[in-house]
């Protein structure tokens, strides 16, 4: 859950400026991590781009991007991220009736990870789990038998649509609280849906799907 909320926090810090982020190269973020970071970043920033030293291909070093002209610098501590996590967890109760995944659209690798997390588990009958992805990803996941596995758990799919366009009846009127692993949807979701939003990791979302509730879990840096 760190990458989406870290992007969200950095976007607030820099506003319209282009940031150069250092210290993430040892974490070795993958494409899905960067996608989540970018979505969180774009939610709170008007900047057209970001650099991550040692990760994005143009950023070999800090000097190669900014030279000696550093306009401002910030040190981000875990407590800063926790403060944003609290802000995005607007749900005042532990009960959860809906799991919203795929903002931005789910990738094939994320489908694989979700299937692994759901394996051997049973979804709570009163919880709906919905994944949005593009049609090509859905077809690839279908060919790899991931859609069958996820459907057996109770996951539903919507293709070629984003969460900003989804409302009733896709999100049932009876739903009070939604959980998502997207900082972007946790930010915009309350206004778009009229529901309370909780924000957590993909594993948190699966746990909520199984139990119909989730106690708040503070984010960690792993």
């Amino acid at each position: 859950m760190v990458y989406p909320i870290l992007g969200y926090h950095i976007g607030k810090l820099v506003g319209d400026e282009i940031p150069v982020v250092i210290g993430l190269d040892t974490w070795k973020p993958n494409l899905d991590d960067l996608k989540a970071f970018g979505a969180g970043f774009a939610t709170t920033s008007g900047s057209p781009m970001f650099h991550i030293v040692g990760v994005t291909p143009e950023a070999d070093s800090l000097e190669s991007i900014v030279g000696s002209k550093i306009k401002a610098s910030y040190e981000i501590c875990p407590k800063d991220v926790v403060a944003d996590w609290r802000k995005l967890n607007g749900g005042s109760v532990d009960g959860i009736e809906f799991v919203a995944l795929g903002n931005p659209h789910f990738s094939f690798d994320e489908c694989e990870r979700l299937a692994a997390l759901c394996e051997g588990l049973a979804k709570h009958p009163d919880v709906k789990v919905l994944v949005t992805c593009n049609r090509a990803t859905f077809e690839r996941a279908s060919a790899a038998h991931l859609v069958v596995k996820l459907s057996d758990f109770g996951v539903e799919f919507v293709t070629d649509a984003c969460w900003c366009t989804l409302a009733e009846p896709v999100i049932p009127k009876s739903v009070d609280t939604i959980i998502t692993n997207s900082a972007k949807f946790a930010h915009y979701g309350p206004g778009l849906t009229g529901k309370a939003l909780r924000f957590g990791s993909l594993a948190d979302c699966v746990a909520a799907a199984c139990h119909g509730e989730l106690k708040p879990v503070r984010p960690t840096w792993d």
Side-chain angles (χ1 to χ4, degrees), residues 5-221:
I5 203 166
L6 186 59
Y8 184 90
H9 182 75
I10 290 174
K12 290 200 311 178
L13 289 177
V14 303
D16 294 339
E17 300 290 337
I18 297 174
V20 182
V21 183
I22 60 174
L24 294 187
D25 53 320
T26 57
W27 290 8
K28 302 186 184 308
N30 59 35
L31 289 178
D32 287 321
D33 295 331
L34 293 175
K35 178 183 69 174
F37 179 97
F41 176 76
T43 300
T44 53
S45 171
S47 175
M49 65 183 297
F50 58 83
H51 306 280
I52 303 178
V53 173
V55 177
T56 53
E58 79 297 337
D60 293 333
S61 66
L62 178 62
E63 293 74 19
S64 68
I65 300 298
V66 300
S68 59
K69 298 178 181 178
I70 298 177
K71 194 170 184 178
S73 63
Y74 306 91
E75 181 178 356
I76 301 172
C77 301
K79 65 179 182 180
D80 302 317
V81 175
V82 169
D84 281 323
W85 172 83
R86 287 198 183 99
K87 177 182 177 181
L88 294 176
N89 271 273
S92 59
V93 295
D94 296 332
I96 294 169
E97 303 91 6
F98 196 97
V99 179
L101 301 171
N103 192 345
H105 278 164
F106 240 38
S107 69
F108 178 82
D109 289 345
E110 287 173 313
C111 289
E112 280 191 318
R113 186 178 173 213
L114 180 61
L117 287 169
C118 293
E119 188 171 1
L121 302 179
K123 184 183 73 66
H124 192 286
D126 297 330
V127 179
K128 183 173 181 176
V129 183
L130 185 67
V131 169
T132 60
C133 64
N134 65 48
R135 195 174 312 176
T137 296
F138 181 79
E139 291 173 355
R140 184 183 174 195
S142 295
H145 308 293
L146 294 173
V147 171
V148 169
K149 290 179 181 179
L150 290 168
S151 297
D152 287 345
F153 176 78
V155 175
E156 300 176 42
F157 287 84
V158 170
T159 61
D160 300 335
C162 69
W163 282 101
C164 66
T165 66
L166 299 179
E168 295 179 23
V170 176
I171 302 175
K173 187 175 182 178
S174 59
V175 168
D176 291 319
T177 305
I178 299 170
I179 189 170
T180 181
N181 68 335
S182 165
K184 179 180 179 180
F185 191 56
H187 177 91
Y188 290 117
L192 291 170
T193 66
K195 313 295 184 181
L197 263 289
R198 293 280 305 278
F199 172 67
S201 66
L202 187 58
D204 292 334
C205 291
V206 171
C210 292
H211 303 295
E213 62 179 3
L214 182 72
K215 299 290 183 181
V217 180
R218 286 164 57 103
T220 62
W221 287 99

